[in-house]
Amino acid sequence: MVTRLEPGDRVRSTRIVAIVRDRTGVHLRAACDTLLEAGVSVLEVTTNTPGAAGVVADLIAAGATEVGMGTVRTVEHVRQAADAGASFIVTPTVSLPVGLAAQEAGMRWYPGAATPTEIETAWTAGATAVKVFPAGVLGGVRFIREVRAPLDDIPLIPTGGVRIDDIADYLATGALAVGMGSPLLGDAVASGDLKGLRVRAEAALAAVREATP
């Protein structure tokens, strides 16, 4: 029997998943704190960002409720996320062993899929929602709209190339939320430009409010 955890309340309300990724991780905690303070409360910290697990653990200990780990590709990555207290994992592909490990650990699973077949496979395997990746390259808003016509019962999170100006159009297709990396984060983790990050975060949340009845 498939075990499926529902999306968290903050994913449903803020409708933005911030993807925090950087090869240095110098200002990782500061960038995460800035996002949370601005109101972007669902954070995906990727496994290939130095210090990711430690920062996830610290944020959760400080009271953040929907912090997860992304770029989860192995069962060992799942263990690291579970040990950090992550509430969800995000995978770049539909890895069934990884998804099963996440379910067994009691974490939500957001797998990445690029075709209707992959989306259906992920959903049948118990995905919480499906990350459509890379959405921009696949056709953007038009692709999501077309896919949702036959698969309208599957919650989708378009990710990859999603800009702030695109948010309203993606949400209008019925997407559950959008995943945003560099268009939201910029180089804040590497450079420490937290002021610019806050401006973008507030603009993204404003776009969600304008698109949400």
Side-chain angles (χ1 to χ4, degrees):
M1 180 177 178
V2 172
T3 300
R4 188 191 318 282
L5 294 175
E6 295 297 316
D9 291 341
R10 294 185 182 276
V11 171
R12 294 179 181 278
S13 61
T14 64
R15 308 190 74 178
I16 295 173
V17 179
I19 304 164
V20 187
R21 181 196 310 275
D22 184 72
R23 293 296 182 182
T24 67
V26 175
H27 302 284
L28 177 58
R29 176 62 190 268
C32 289
D33 285 341
T34 297
L35 288 166
L36 292 170
E37 291 164 5
V40 178
S41 52
V42 184
L43 307 183
E44 171 197 337
V45 186
T46 67
T47 59
N48 55 359
T49 297
V55 166
V56 168
D58 289 346
L59 291 170
I60 292 169
T65 58
E66 289 193 40
V67 180
M69 295 191 70
T71 315
V72 174
R73 299 177 57 198
T74 67
V75 172
E76 174 60 21
H77 284 161
V78 175
R79 185 193 65 76
Q80 293 172 9
D83 288 348
S87 63
F88 65 87
I89 65 161
V90 183
T91 63
T93 63
V94 184
S95 172
L96 299 182
V98 167
L100 177 59
Q103 291 164 5
E104 291 175 344
M107 290 186 293
R108 297 177 178 92
W109 173 40
Y110 298 101
T115 67
T117 298
E118 291 178 353
I119 292 169
E120 182 78 66
T121 298
W123 183 246
T124 301
T128 296
V130 180
K131 176 182 79 169
V132 181
F133 173 78
V137 174
L138 292 169
V141 171
R142 181 179 177 185
F143 180 80
I144 300 299
R145 184 180 296 114
E146 294 291 339
V147 166
R148 276 192 50 76
L151 303 178
D152 59 344
D153 60 319
I154 302 178
L156 303 179
I157 304 178
T159 303
V162 177
R163 302 167 302 172
I164 292 172
D165 290 345
D166 299 327
I167 291 174
D169 290 336
Y170 275 114
L171 296 183
T173 69
L176 170 66
V178 295
M180 300 186 71
S182 57
L184 174 62
L185 270 294
D187 67 348
V189 179
S191 71
D193 179 14
L194 303 180
K195 181 178 180 180
L197 174 58
R198 181 180 289 275
V199 169
R200 291 188 296 274
E202 291 174 349
L205 290 169
V208 171
R209 289 193 296 271
E210 292 173 5
T212 305

